[in-house]
Amino acid sequence: MRSARTRVLETATLLFYLEGIHTVGVDRVIADAGVAKATFYHHFKSKEELVVAYLATEYERQRELFAGVPGVGVERIETILAKLAEVSVGPGFRGCPFLNAAAEFADPDHPVRHLVDDYRAWYRSLMRDILVAAGRSDVDLKADLLLLVRDGIAVAGGLGDKAAVEAGVRTALAGL
């Protein structure tokens, strides 16, 4: 059986992603997870702490996912972008959890925004490292472009614009 903490986190993950972080209250998470209020507060001192745990879990999931992507150099980037494009236009996709959270937490000094910034810096660094290993020039500029493309894939996919997602991926890859 899953632990109470796991149930709370999985419930919050689903609700935050589907309905929005600010829309979902702690009482709703507690009720849907089937835990007592005391149990919730034993594991998470506040909703903010739960939100950070939700995003940290997603961050780790994506790091593991991208670590397992096959290929080297630009081939690996192609595979990553193809996977992002596929997910973004698939059923149930409601945007990037990090961009969604950033939209809900405007204060750049908020812990949620720090985690979003860390995630985006990690992705940019991953792209840069792959480009360096491939012997490409202008790796910082291209890594910035690939971060922008990742963000664009998430937004366009979330809006159901498959043509824009495909065009963005093609254009980015041609520029590498």
Side-chain angles (χ1 to χ4, degrees):
M1 178 176 220
R2 298 172 307 157
S3 73
R5 184 183 194 285
T6 299
R7 286 195 323 272
V8 168
L9 189 53
E10 287 175 353
T11 299
T13 295
L14 178 66
L15 294 173
F16 290 163
Y17 187 70
L18 292 177
E19 298 180 22
I21 295 167
H22 288 317
T23 304
V24 176
V26 169
D27 289 338
R28 170 90 184 278
V29 173
I30 289 168
D32 285 13
V35 299
K37 191 173 272 197
T39 301
F40 174 88
Y41 285 107
H42 171 74
H43 294 289
F44 302 99
K45 303 304 178 213
S46 64
K47 180 179 176 182
E48 180 179 288
E49 190 175 302
L50 176 61
V51 173
V52 170
Y54 150 63
L55 291 172
T57 300
E58 180 61 22
Y59 185 177
E60 186 56 34
R61 187 188 72 77
Q62 288 196 24
R63 288 174 66 103
E64 289 173 9
L65 179 73
F66 287 133
V69 170
V72 294
V74 175
E75 176 187 299
R76 185 163 180 225
I77 291 172
E78 287 175 15
T79 304
I80 289 170
L81 293 181
K83 183 64 177 168
L84 288 171
E86 175 188 329
V87 168
S88 78
V89 297
F93 185 77
R94 297 189 43 85
C96 166
F98 299 99
L99 296 179
N100 293 349
E104 290 196 53
F105 291 86
D107 180 1
D109 292 325
H110 194 281
V112 167
R113 286 295 295 272
H114 287 286
L115 204 147
V116 170
D117 292 345
D118 288 348
Y119 168 80
R120 295 181 80 246
W122 163 79
Y123 184 88
R124 181 185 292 116
S125 178
L126 173 66
M127 294 296 108
R128 185 185 188 289
D129 292 348
I130 293 170
L131 291 165
V132 166
R136 298 298 168 132
S137 62
D138 298 322
V139 293
D140 291 322
L141 182 66
K142 289 175 181 171
D144 287 342
L145 170 66
L146 289 167
L147 175 63
L148 184 63
V149 169
R150 189 215 77 83
D151 291 348
I153 288 170
V155 171
L159 295 172
D161 193 348
K162 185 176 181 178
V165 169
E166 292 170 349
V169 169
R170 281 192 311 272
T171 302
L173 292 173
L176 295 181

